[in-house]
Amino acid sequence: MEWREPVTGLKGVGPKKAAALEKLGIRTIGDLLLFFPRDYQDRRKSCGISELEEEKPVCVWGRVELVVKDPFRRGRRQILRVLISDGSGKLEILFFNAAYLASQFRKGSSFIFYGKPVWNHGKPQMIHPDFSPAEKGMTQGILPVYPLVLGLSQKDMRNWQKAALSGLSGIQEYLPEDIIRRNRLCGLDYAISNIHFPKDRQPLLEGKYRMIFDELLALQTGLLAARQKNVIGKQGPGFDPSPVEQEYIQGLPYPLTGAQLRVVSEIMADTESGKVMNRLVQGDVGSGKTAVAEVALYKAVKSGFQGVMMAPTEILAKQHFSSLSQGFAPYGITVGLLTGSMKAGEKREVLERLASGEIQILVGTHAIIQPDVAFSNLGLVITDEQHRFGVNQRTALSEKGNNPHVLVMTATPIPRTLAVILYGDLDISIIDELPPGRQKIVTRAVDESQRSACYDFVEKELNKGRQAYIVAPLIDESEVLDVKSAESLYQELRDRFAGYSVALLHGAMKQTEKDGIMSRFYQNEIQVLVSTVVIEVGINVPNSTMMVIENAERFGLAQLHQLRGRVGRGKHQSYCVLISKKSSEVARKRAEIMEKSQDGFYIAEQDLQLRGPGEIFGTRQHGVPDLAFADLAKHIKILNDVKKEADRIIEQDPLLESEAYAGLKKRIIKLFGPDFSLKL
Ligand code: ADP
Ligand code: MG
């Protein structure tokens, strides 16, 4: 039997069963063997009825004393009750809608049952246990339990797995011997057979470890190799090696923080090196990423290149445009804006000035990656709030130049280990210091009963001349989700804050409408902004001191932190109120984290523990494939070991060209999909 052979070669797999297996993604023997149990039944343990423990699955032997079929009643499940005894005690076995079993349980006959005992009115019961006549005995050992679909049984699956394992003449090892030894991994063959039919707990754990390690190794090595391919032999635009950026830094209205200076120097080293920069700048909300970007853009222009900055929303693009225009005006540098909502004529003019090189720095939204946008000499590409952009968009932007330097900025603090995965193709800089004098935002988590008190507080702030954001998660009332809608909240708050101007902002509005509202909010013509999460990223209105977040339980912590970062940007004390419905244990913990901490990295780490990485960082969007065995939140420790091994491999063989890594390379392509082979 071969790994690639179709499963139909197995006894008992006809067209129907094959179709059911296909639904589970199983076509070949190899697919089958990599389809792992979701749970196990440990049937090695048996005990007397008097020794049963609640909820602990176990085998018991017993003789049938009584069989009772409850009378059928319309609309209710029929129950078959079998009372058994082993001399030490009595156990009631229940089957629902299975009257046909009654004939098997003859009074006086003996059976073995495997199930989970529960207590009902002080008496032990088992509901739908597995059973077999005592003289036949029950399959012993630890049995796998597979996730199944209709038309397949555990018995089928167990038999096929057994047949596949014994029919296959050994499973081909694909990792080099030294990797296995160094990381004390068990063999692949051993791993797979022990995951299906473990002899004991230890071999099972070793087997699982091996599968997790392999998957993470493929992930990490694949990303690193792709990055090597990206970098090796590529000449980047060489920026002016003299410290021209200093004059811009000196001209800023504030001194850069130590962290900003460090990141600037990392960027300078990259861009002067002659190689292509691929760098991620991570910095908490308000850490001053924009200033760092400005210095880099200044350097590009002074070196004779154009620079471009892409933002995820129009509002943000315009905000960047106005601050960059102001910042660069004294140096005679021309900044242009390109967004999707611009009129065709305006757009054409910008495109012409860009192509001629008159516009030296372009700021914009996705519109920038349209095919008709051409630069004369693009040297630096910056994307702000990268977590909103896919990898492909970043690449599309880079292709507008001749290997331009790439700087990616994100405000989502990502634990370093994870960043290495999510941004495996980038070097990482961290701005881990806030500008001096930043105040702590007083944060309170409350429940619905305190909403009215919360609005009283908002009113006090408004009376002092401040402004407020009130965030609701969805636009339309939805009974199913029971979410306070922005629309109805807006109606309500317009009455509540009658003396002030209240406006509604949501993602489905026309761009011009949104822009109009934002600029009126900037100018304090609007005091209360009721909004969906469109305000989340980057908006800077220092006079806003209140952030109220409705249905806070629906947001991730990292997102709450982002939202909260919209306040606390000016000289006034700022506040954030999180209104939640639920008061579960997790909800309480989340509230506590938000009240105590303002540290985005800490919050992200906690969020990772509570929710897992996929939900927080949109791992799919980052181009990280779905993982079958590993869990990026749980397996950070293994990931650290994997990282060391991957670094070692890439150092030896950056593009995985040697025969020793042929198997690993195949594994990588299997993980990332066939397109990835181009990147290796
Ligand atoms: P973010 O990292 O969230 O994008 P911004 O770049 O918007 O942060 O900066 C937030 C605010 O801090 C801006 O008003 C900016 O002018 C100010 N700022 C940035 N760097 C410094 C600094 N070194 N000292 C004082 N203020 C700074
Ligand atoms: Mg920003």
Side-chain angles (χ1 to χ4, degrees):
M1 196 180 289
E2 294 289 325
W3 185 262
R4 290 163 185 277
E5 223 169 274
V7 274
T8 44
L10 288 167
K11 208 173 134 225
V13 183
K16 268 198 189 144
K17 299 275 184 191
L21 284 169
E22 176 124 17
K23 282 195 191 131
L24 296 170
I26 301 171
R27 286 191 196 100
T28 64
I29 298 293
D31 295 338
L32 180 72
L33 287 173
L34 291 179
F35 186 77
F36 288 159
R38 64 169 161 80
D39 201 4
Y40 299 88
Q41 293 180 351
D42 189 350
R43 295 195 175 175
R44 295 170 306 173
K45 278 177 262 160
S46 64
C47 71
I49 291 176
S50 63
E51 297 160 315
L52 288 175
E53 286 178 66
E54 182 129 30
E55 299 282 332
K56 291 235 174 88
V58 71
C59 287
V60 283
W61 170 93
R63 198 184 302 278
V64 176
E65 290 207 335
L66 197 64
V67 181
V68 180
K69 264 191 279 184
D70 282 7
F72 176 78
R73 262 189 267 151
R74 183 179 288 280
R76 288 190 48 181
R77 293 186 295 177
Q78 189 171 33
I79 306 175
L80 174 69
R81 299 169 189 273
V82 181
L83 189 69
I84 62 156
S85 158
D86 70 348
S88 80
K90 291 183 202 298
L91 173 67
E92 190 178 40
I93 311 284
L94 300 184
F95 297 98
F96 295 105
N97 296 336
Y100 61 91
L101 290 174
S103 59
Q104 294 193 32
F105 293 106
R106 272 176 301 105
K107 205 170 150 185
S109 55
S110 296
F111 286 85
I112 300 173
F113 299 89
Y114 173 86
K116 197 194 275 179
V118 290
W119 261 251
N120 188 1
H121 295 294
K123 291 183 185 147
Q125 291 182 334
M126 274 187 190
I127 298 168
H128 277 273
D130 281 0
F131 64 90
S132 66
E135 68 272 12
K136 271 191 163 171
M138 188 171 258
T139 321
Q140 286 296 311
I142 304 175
L143 286 189
V145 179
Y146 296 91
L148 294 180
V149 291
L150 202 67
L152 297 176
S153 71
Q154 294 295 344
K155 205 168 149 192
D156 286 337
M157 199 58 131
R158 286 169 191 159
N159 287 337
W160 296 331
Q161 294 287 7
K162 273 226 171 77
L165 280 169
S166 61
L168 209 60
S169 48
I171 293 166
Q172 191 76 43
E173 182 56 69
Y174 73 96
L175 283 182
E177 166 87 40
D178 63 312
I179 294 182
I180 294 185
R181 212 176 340 101
R182 222 176 1 249
N183 296 285
R184 275 172 279 155
L185 302 174
C186 68
L188 198 55
D189 203 346
Y190 180 91
I192 291 176
S193 46
N194 274 290
I195 289 176
H196 290 294
F197 301 103
K199 305 244 151 33
D200 207 343
R201 214 177 121 72
Q202 190 57 30
L204 172 61
L205 292 179
E206 285 170 33
K208 283 189 170 168
Y209 186 92
R210 169 73 206 251
M211 300 316 291
I212 295 166
F213 190 96
D214 279 23
E215 189 169 49
L216 292 174
L217 186 69
L219 179 64
Q220 182 79 72
T221 320
L223 290 167
L224 291 178
R227 166 168 160 195
Q228 290 298 320
K229 180 102 182 235
N230 229 348
V231 172
I232 288 177
K234 269 196 189 168
Q235 282 287 111
F239 283 8
D240 186 347
S242 68
V244 284
E245 67 281 1
Q246 286 306 326
E247 54 185 338
Y248 190 80
I249 296 174
Q250 301 308 327
L252 283 167
Y254 42 72
L256 291 181
T257 62
Q260 282 171 317
L261 285 170
R262 193 187 62 236
V263 174
V264 163
S265 70
E266 284 163 354
I267 294 170
M268 294 308 135
D270 286 353
T271 52
E272 292 166 16
S273 72
K275 294 197 191 115
V276 184
M277 170 172 74
N278 276 294
R279 186 168 285 279
L280 172 74
V281 174
Q282 265 195 70
D284 208 345
V285 202
S287 61
K289 291 182 290 295
T290 318
V292 170
E294 283 168 21
V295 176
L297 288 167
Y298 183 83
K299 177 85 163 186
V301 171
K302 286 290 154 176
S303 308
F305 293 94
Q306 288 170 302
V308 61
M309 184 147 154
M310 181 162 73
T313 63
E314 296 234 8
I315 294 174
L316 206 53
K318 287 194 175 156
Q319 189 177 291
H320 279 319
F321 171 69
S322 78
S323 74
L324 293 190
S325 310
Q326 264 174 39
F328 286 123
Y331 304 94
I333 294 174
T334 310
V335 183
L337 175 70
L338 189 70
T339 68
S341 68
M342 280 165 65
K343 293 207 187 70
E346 292 174 303
K347 220 182 227 168
R348 204 172 322 116
E349 192 208 319
V350 171
L351 292 183
E352 275 164 20
R353 291 169 60 214
L354 187 68
S356 74
E358 183 202 334
I359 290 178
Q360 292 159 297
I361 294 172
L362 183 69
V363 182
T365 56
H366 303 84
I368 291 180
I369 53 183
Q370 297 305 310
D372 55 346
V373 180
F375 293 79
S376 80
N377 191 14
L378 180 62
L380 174 65
V381 166
I382 302 181
T383 52
D384 191 16
E385 313 294 349
Q386 155 71 18
H387 61 293
R388 294 302 187 84
F389 294 113
V391 176
N392 294 339
Q393 289 170 314
R394 201 206 300 156
T395 314
L397 189 51
S398 289
E399 280 164 3
K400 303 244 172 237
N402 184 17
N403 295 330
H405 296 299
V406 173
L407 194 63
V408 172
M409 302 198 297
T410 175
T412 312
I414 301 169
R416 194 177 255 284
T417 353
L418 201 56
V420 170
I421 293 288
L422 295 182
Y423 298 104
D425 55 344
L426 301 174
D427 290 311
I428 299 174
S429 291
I430 299 180
I431 310 183
D432 51 3
E433 183 186 350
L434 293 182
R438 281 290 151 81
Q439 36 154 318
K440 208 172 146 52
I441 301 159
V442 176
T443 303
R444 285 290 167 269
V446 303
D447 62 29
E448 302 261 325
S449 68
Q450 283 157 282
R451 169 175 291 115
S452 146
C454 162
Y455 292 158
D456 292 345
F457 192 84
V458 171
E459 191 164 28
K460 272 196 203 148
E461 284 296 298
L462 296 176
N463 290 341
K464 284 193 229 162
R466 306 286 95 77
Q467 289 161 276
Y469 295 101
I470 300 187
V471 177
L474 293 178
I475 305 169
D476 292 310
E477 197 86 65
S478 153
E479 279 174 20
V480 190
L481 295 171
D482 189 27
V483 181
K484 192 109 198 162
S485 77
E487 295 269 6
S488 73
L489 189 63
Y490 165 64
Q491 305 291 346
E492 191 184 325
L493 294 178
R494 225 174 24 175
D495 295 340
R496 178 67 187 76
F497 301 114
Y500 294 96
S501 164
V502 181
L504 174 65
L505 184 76
H506 62 69
M509 288 165 89
K510 280 218 198 74
Q511 194 53 50
T512 47
E513 237 178 315
K514 280 196 272 193
D515 291 347
I517 289 171
M518 265 337 281
S519 67
R520 283 167 59 213
F521 190 64
Y522 280 126
Q523 282 146 36
N524 199 3
E525 289 166 22
I526 291 168
Q527 285 82 43
V528 180
L529 190 64
V530 181
S531 159
T532 58
V533 288
V534 290
I535 54 152
E536 182 188 347
V537 277
I539 296 301
N540 192 14
V541 181
N543 190 46
S544 301
T545 56
M546 279 295 315
M547 168 67 61
V548 179
I549 303 173
E550 296 275 347
N551 294 107
E553 76 277 3
R554 304 190 69 91
F555 294 91
L557 292 184
Q559 206 179 7
L560 289 176
H561 178 67
Q562 286 276 315
L563 286 166
R564 179 171 62 182
R566 299 307 110 220
V567 298
R569 299 187 148 241
K571 51 185 182 294
H572 307 290
Q573 175 63 53
S574 293
Y575 306 89
C576 175
V577 183
L578 307 171
I579 304 180
S580 303
K581 276 219 173 82
K582 274 185 279 173
S583 56
S584 66
E585 177 63 18
V586 177
R588 207 187 43 71
K589 207 156 166 200
R590 283 163 42 94
E592 198 181 294
I593 293 163
M594 291 306 296
E595 288 181 353
K596 283 213 182 116
S597 176
Q598 316 260 359
D599 177 347
F601 279 92
Y602 172 79
I603 290 172
E605 199 92 51
Q606 297 300 309
D607 211 11
L608 184 61
Q609 303 293 331
L610 290 172
R611 293 200 308 159
E615 285 206 48
I616 308 169
F617 306 117
T619 46
R620 296 246 32 184
Q621 185 189 306
H622 281 89
V624 174
D626 278 339
L627 300 176
F629 313 117
D631 177 332
L632 293 175
K634 266 200 238 150
H635 301 133
I636 293 273
K637 260 218 183 97
I638 306 180
L639 194 52
N640 283 324
D641 289 347
V642 165
K643 173 85 171 71
K644 277 184 216 140
E645 195 57 55
D647 286 343
R648 191 179 279 134
I649 294 171
I650 294 299
E651 195 171 317
Q652 272 176 15
D653 185 355
L655 299 176
L656 304 173
E657 287 159 327
S658 72
E659 191 48 40
Y661 298 128
L664 178 58
K665 205 162 166 174
K666 268 197 202 141
R667 178 77 181 84
I668 291 169
I669 291 166
K670 182 147 197 290
L671 180 66
F672 285 88
D675 287 351
F676 201 74
S677 58
L678 298 174
K679 297 190 180 171
L680 287 181

